[in-house]
Amino acid sequence: MKNPISIGLAAATCLSMVAALFMVFVYVPTEAEQGIVQRIFYFHLPCAWVAFLGFGIVALAGGLYLWLGHKVWDDLSYAAAELGMLFCTLVLVTGSIWAKPIWGVWWTWDSRLTTTFILWLLYGSYLLLRAFADDTDGIARFAAVLGIVGVLDIPIIIISVRLWRTIHPAVLLTRQGEHGLQDLRMVATLLVSLAAFTIMFVWLLWMRVATLRLRTRIVRLRRTLALRELAEAHR
Amino acid sequence: MAEVVLQAQRIAKFFGERPVLYGLDLTLRAGQAAVIVGRNGVGKSTLIKILCGLSPPSAGRLWLFGQEPRSMAAQQFRRVGVLLHQSLLYPRLTCRENMEFYSELFAIPDAGAHARRWLERVGLQRAADELVSALSRGMEQRLGIARAMLADPDLILLDEPFAAMDADGVALVSSLVREALAREAAVIFTAHAPLEIAGVDLRMFKLESNGLTPFKDEGRRGSLRNLLRRN
Amino acid sequence: MDHLGYLFAAYSIIFLLIGLYVIFIGTRQARLEREVRRLESELRKNEPPLAPADNVEEIKTPGGV
Amino acid sequence: MLEGFGPILRKDLRLEVRTGESTVVLVSISVLILVVMVLAFGPAGARRAEVAAGALWTALIFAGTMGATRALLSERESGCLRGLLLSPVEPATIYAAKLSVAMIFMAQAGIAVLVVLVLFFNLDFGGALLRLLPVFLLGIVGLAALCTLLATVSGRVRAGAMLLPVMVVPLFAPALIAGSKASAAVLAGQPLGAVITWLKLLGAFDVLFVTAGYLLFEHVIFED
């Protein structure tokens, strides 16, 4: 954690996050229709974006692991899944908190909510698979396959859920970002938040991969030690 | 020199953090036979699984017929015959059905006649229509060996082929090994105690918890070689 | 229409969860680093160095046959 | 390309005809699930097409996970899967064969469920049922493909039997939506043309998972 890249990422995260918070709470004007809760949106959407980004990395790194066989790809895939789960949870929670005052309910089977929820379940099953398995080479391949299949499934999930809920209640329309962003300052705030979350995602990913690499290194050291003990015992 | 059928280079295998095999070198040419002797739990079965390409080693490299198992086409496995610790037979199919199934899988023409020949060869013609689950351990072992050899493979790996065998069974396996060697196949098998097969120039290796070491005067022959890295 | 509570809840949950995750990574990192140092000192104790398994992870190939 | 497909399929069917285990287990459990659904929804619910469709697909998804598990089970006895891997048969062919076996198991359970469904929900034998057939077939192809791929994974993991539905359900969600919507529409008397979008979606799902399974199977079938 004490290397310059990590420190640089941490600093960039802090700076951009402070800037984003300033813009959300001070700079941006309050949205007319929904009032103050609409400000949740500026962090809600970036959470969704990095959750999606996480999925992409899970599949990409999984594919690279199957292709090249280097453990670092597996570590990257695992770290991205954990982060994806974290941000997917945040999307659902902040969405719920936003929905309550605006729609009067915590949860509704709107197409976006449903899709996000299914993606959350996908992340959940991936992490459960990894939690259940012993730490062998096999699990890395299984997780890679599940991750790839999961990502390929996403477009079909989105389409099916959209068709499932073809008729949107009118109130849902205002929820969609485009409709709420009449002001240029709102767009600017959203962009800064997106950047802040992306940087934070990269930073967290970097740190998590570092701990997973350490775990690999420990296994290697333990193996070396075990070999020595054997050789010693045999002498 | 005959073709190198199997070559293993600095093979190591870990289960988690526990080393099972390591620093293992092995070269086997066509027409050669080798036996790996070791106590129970020393890693013989694991070694056979690695050498047949079923289980990838944690480190080191393996070539079968000059190719790494991972890049071998499935068709190449026609040339490899394996008996593992398990018989690889379907307990709820009869002996004949098992042999016919595997003959078809290996795309052998006239699978029925081929299966019948092999059942006779291993002395199971009278048990042909019995379910494998009803066989005695020794009979199942005979059928398992027949299964391993049914496509006349060029490389034969047998895990404890003499286990649970009576005197007839031992003679049968010995003659099968002799035949295989006569047609220039390479044979490698494991045993828990040193043994000899009449008329076979058998190279013996001892597998110990620290690797594979030459059992007799192996250094002189040099066909099979182990280098524990520290030696 | 005072929805300040909701806004506050949303933002605090975001920072709470991310903060907890950072703490989780940090403690784990510290623990693993301690373990690495311990193992390395143990390795140095056991002279002479022999049979390093340092190639074990790197040339591993996924898949079997 | 599919050398070895026939023998594996024949062998599995012979085993199944001999013991009948999978058929009995799958048919009874999926019919039981249907009964549970009917009891839970009550007599009023049991007259609605959506409830019938929902019950059908709930029963199918469990039959799917069990069918795939059972199709692979015959290979786990005495390590026979290793026998297949050590034969000159491509892993993808093993996948195709196991997928077909799983599909046959599922279809048996599905047909039993359909018969019971018709009785319990007072549906007409004939027209509606005939139109349901393509929906049903498209559904089980994708389900079998998905379950066969993941049952291989769950078979190698601790608590895998419990993990299989956890992995299958979210991935199967789109086909579940499409399948139950299309079934409900068809059972309510609409023609197949009205549900063509759902059929297309099911088709896309099938193509995706059959292809993915075919290509990825070799990565989950080998051991460490």
Side-chain angles (χ1 to χ4, degrees):
Chain A
M1 217 188 280
K2 284 162 196 76
N3 72 47
I5 299 179
S6 185
I7 292 171
L9 281 170
T13 304
C14 285
L15 282 178
S16 56
M17 203 48 88
V18 166
L21 280 172
F22 172 79
M23 290 182 85
V24 169
F25 287 101
V26 182
Y27 171 76
V28 82
T30 302
E31 206 259 345
E33 231 171 287
Q34 301 184 17
I36 201 156
V37 274
Q38 188 268 342
R39 286 171 203 251
I40 293 176
F41 169 78
Y42 301 112
F43 271 35
H44 173 78
L45 185 80
C47 281
W49 149 243
V50 289
F52 262 95
L53 187 64
F55 251 125
I57 294 175
V58 168
L60 198 67
L64 286 170
Y65 177 74
L66 291 182
W67 184 29
L68 302 168
H70 199 293
K71 185 86 168 67
V72 74
W73 299 119
D74 178 52
D75 291 339
L76 181 61
S77 180
Y78 192 2
E82 252 183 38
L83 279 169
M85 183 69 174
L86 171 69
F87 286 104
C88 213
T89 310
L90 285 176
V91 175
L92 290 174
V93 172
T94 54
S96 244
I97 295 175
W98 185 7
K100 183 65 182 163
I102 298 299
W103 304 335
V105 288
W106 291 110
W107 183 263
T108 169
W109 292 99
D110 151 63
S111 71
R112 275 166 205 238
L113 285 177
T114 310
T115 306
T116 312
F117 181 60
I118 295 176
L119 295 193
W120 187 84
L121 288 178
L122 278 182
Y123 269 132
S125 66
Y126 178 96
L127 291 176
L128 268 181
L129 171 66
R130 301 211 71 139
F132 270 128
D134 303 321
D135 204 18
T136 59
D137 312 345
I139 190 59
R141 284 183 279 124
F142 302 158
V145 167
L146 185 61
I148 292 169
V149 171
V151 168
L152 293 178
D153 202 23
I154 289 178
I156 303 188
I157 293 177
I158 293 175
I159 296 170
S160 71
V161 172
R162 201 166 282 166
L163 288 170
W164 184 55
R165 298 255 84 191
T166 22
I167 311 143
H168 291 261
V171 64
L172 297 191
L173 289 175
T174 56
R175 186 175 171 267
Q176 303 186 354
E178 314 79 88
H179 298 268
L181 298 183
Q182 320 91 335
D183 196 308
L184 212 57
R185 282 175 293 177
M186 291 181 175
V187 178
T189 307
L190 179 61
L191 288 177
V192 170
S193 296
L194 275 172
F197 267 80
T198 309
I199 295 169
M200 180 165 71
F201 181 82
V202 174
W203 174 53
L204 291 173
L205 194 66
W206 179 275
M207 288 206 301
R208 190 68 183 104
V209 169
T211 64
L212 289 169
R213 296 300 293 157
L214 268 186
R215 217 180 51 171
T216 308
R217 198 164 142 210
I218 285 173
V219 169
R220 211 179 294 168
L221 284 169
R222 289 215 177 116
R223 286 178 170 185
T224 311
L225 270 173
L227 280 183
R228 272 195 188 179
E229 270 163 32
L230 262 180
E232 214 105 296
H234 213 265
R235 202 175 287 167
Chain B
M1 278 290 235
E3 181 199 9
V4 174
V5 171
L6 179 152
Q7 188 174 11
Q9 206 176 65
R10 285 161 69 99
I11 295 270
K13 184 73 185 177
F14 292 85
F15 288 152
E17 289 154 10
R18 191 167 64 87
V20 184
L21 298 167
Y22 59 97
L24 210 138
D25 286 359
L26 204 79
T27 306
L28 198 62
R29 290 175 185 279
Q32 289 184 329
V35 55
I36 294 167
V37 181
R39 285 176 291 106
N40 295 333
V42 84
K44 297 189 298 277
S45 296
T46 308
L47 178 60
I48 291 290
K49 267 193 243 168
I50 291 174
L51 293 182
C52 68
L54 197 58
S55 169
S58 306
R61 299 178 80 179
L62 171 72
W63 294 270
L64 303 178
F65 309 105
Q67 276 179 299
E68 291 196 87
R70 227 188 125 207
S71 55
M72 259 164 78
Q75 279 301 322
Q76 289 278 343
F77 278 89
R78 193 181 302 283
R79 302 181 67 187
V80 184
V82 188
L83 172 74
L84 293 180
H85 182 63
Q86 292 161 302
S87 65
L88 310 187
L89 299 166
Y90 293 88
R92 279 181 290 182
L93 290 181
T94 66
C95 299
R96 187 199 309 282
E97 286 165 342
N98 263 296
M99 290 307 279
E100 280 175 4
F101 168 63
Y102 277 109
S103 301
E104 285 173 22
L105 218 52
F106 279 82
I108 292 166
D110 199 0
H114 192 79
R116 202 160 46 244
R117 272 199 302 280
W118 267 102
L119 286 171
E120 276 167 30
R121 186 79 191 79
V122 296
L124 287 173
Q125 63 273 37
R126 269 189 296 170
D129 292 317
E130 297 227 25
L131 292 183
V132 166
S133 58
L135 295 182
S136 73
R137 183 78 187 87
M139 287 160 93
E140 187 177 346
Q141 185 83 341
R142 286 180 185 219
L143 195 63
I145 291 168
R147 191 211 73 86
M149 295 195 165
L150 102 179
D152 289 336
D154 298 321
L155 170 62
I156 298 167
L157 301 113
L158 306 170
D159 192 8
E160 298 264 14
F162 294 106
M165 284 283 191
D166 54 14
D168 284 354
V170 171
L172 170 71
V173 176
S174 304
S175 74
L176 286 174
V177 168
R178 269 194 298 273
E179 270 172 36
L181 293 171
R183 59 176 172 78
E184 286 288 282
V187 182
I188 184 162
F189 62 93
T190 64
H192 54 267
L195 56 90
E196 290 194 6
I197 296 179
V200 173
D201 184 15
L202 196 59
R203 286 145 173 89
M204 262 192 246
F205 291 88
K206 195 170 180 179
L207 187 63
E208 289 185 325
S209 56
N210 71 332
L212 195 63
T213 52
F215 191 65
K216 286 201 297 193
D217 49 351
E218 195 41 58
R220 188 172 53 78
R221 287 182 186 149
S223 60
L224 269 156
R225 206 161 60 88
N226 163 66
L227 288 175
L228 179 60
R229 267 174 256 171
R230 54 184 282 250
N231 292 345
Chain C
M1 280 270 283
D2 182 26
H3 290 144
L4 214 60
Y6 290 107
L7 185 63
F8 178 74
Y11 278 82
S12 27
I13 281 177
I14 290 178
F15 284 104
L16 182 75
L17 280 188
I18 293 173
L20 284 177
Y21 190 67
V22 170
I23 292 169
F24 159 77
I25 297 179
T27 53
R28 173 154 299 203
Q29 177 88 2
R31 212 183 57 220
L32 291 173
E33 271 170 359
R34 261 202 314 280
E35 179 71 5
V36 167
R37 274 197 299 277
R38 191 183 68 76
L39 288 170
E40 274 176 345
S41 75
E42 205 169 312
L43 265 179
R44 270 195 300 276
K45 256 191 331 218
N46 276 354
E47 297 293 337
L50 41 83
D54 51 2
N55 58 344
V56 164
E57 289 292 336
E58 304 305 325
I59 52 177
K60 178 160 60 194
T61 50
V65 176
Chain D
M1 188 168 120
L2 283 176
E3 208 170 296
F5 176 84
I8 299 177
L9 189 62
R10 271 203 301 281
K11 181 262 304 169
D12 274 344
L13 294 183
R14 174 177 285 169
L15 274 173
E16 185 51 34
V17 168
R18 189 156 297 169
T19 66
E21 265 174 23
S22 304
T23 310
V24 171
V25 170
L26 253 76
V27 166
S28 51
I29 294 207
S30 42
V31 168
L32 270 178
I33 291 173
L34 194 70
V35 171
V36 169
M37 299 282 290
V38 171
L39 291 179
F41 281 113
R47 276 192 288 277
R48 293 175 48 204
E50 300 105 88
V51 176
L56 168 69
W57 285 82
T58 310
L60 266 186
I61 200 165
F62 286 101
T65 56
M66 273 188 303
T69 310
R70 294 216 55 105
L72 286 160
L73 206 65
S74 68
E75 306 299 346
R76 294 215 187 280
E77 290 177 306
S78 306
C80 291
L81 189 59
R82 292 172 175 155
L84 294 187
L85 293 175
L86 289 168
S87 70
V89 173
E90 298 283 347
T93 305
I94 302 176
Y95 176 72
K98 288 288 137 185
L99 161 61
S100 312
V101 175
M103 232 175 77
I104 291 170
F105 287 173
M106 266 176 236
Q108 284 179 328
I111 288 166
V113 168
L114 275 180
V115 171
V116 180
L117 199 73
V118 168
L119 294 175
F120 281 9
F121 287 81
N122 291 313
L123 304 170
D124 292 324
F125 282 101
L129 220 49
L130 213 60
R131 285 199 298 275
L132 196 56
L133 208 62
V135 182
F136 172 74
L137 282 177
L138 281 173
I140 60 171
V141 171
L143 185 58
L146 173 62
C147 290
T148 304
L149 182 67
L150 293 181
T152 325
V153 171
S154 71
R156 293 179 184 282
V157 179
R158 268 184 301 131
M162 277 182 284
L163 203 55
L164 183 60
V166 174
M167 292 191 289
V168 166
V169 170
L171 287 169
F172 190 63
L176 187 65
I177 291 174
S180 50
K181 281 273 175 184
S183 308
V186 166
L187 284 177
Q190 291 185 34
L192 266 182
V195 295
I196 194 74
T197 320
W198 294 121
L199 293 181
K200 277 185 194 159
L201 204 67
L202 279 174
F205 185 84
D206 294 349
V207 170
L208 170 70
F209 276 98
V210 171
T211 316
Y214 196 78
L215 295 175
L216 292 173
F217 190 67
E218 58 170 322
H219 295 295
V220 295
I221 196 68
F222 287 106
E223 47 201 293
D224 300 320

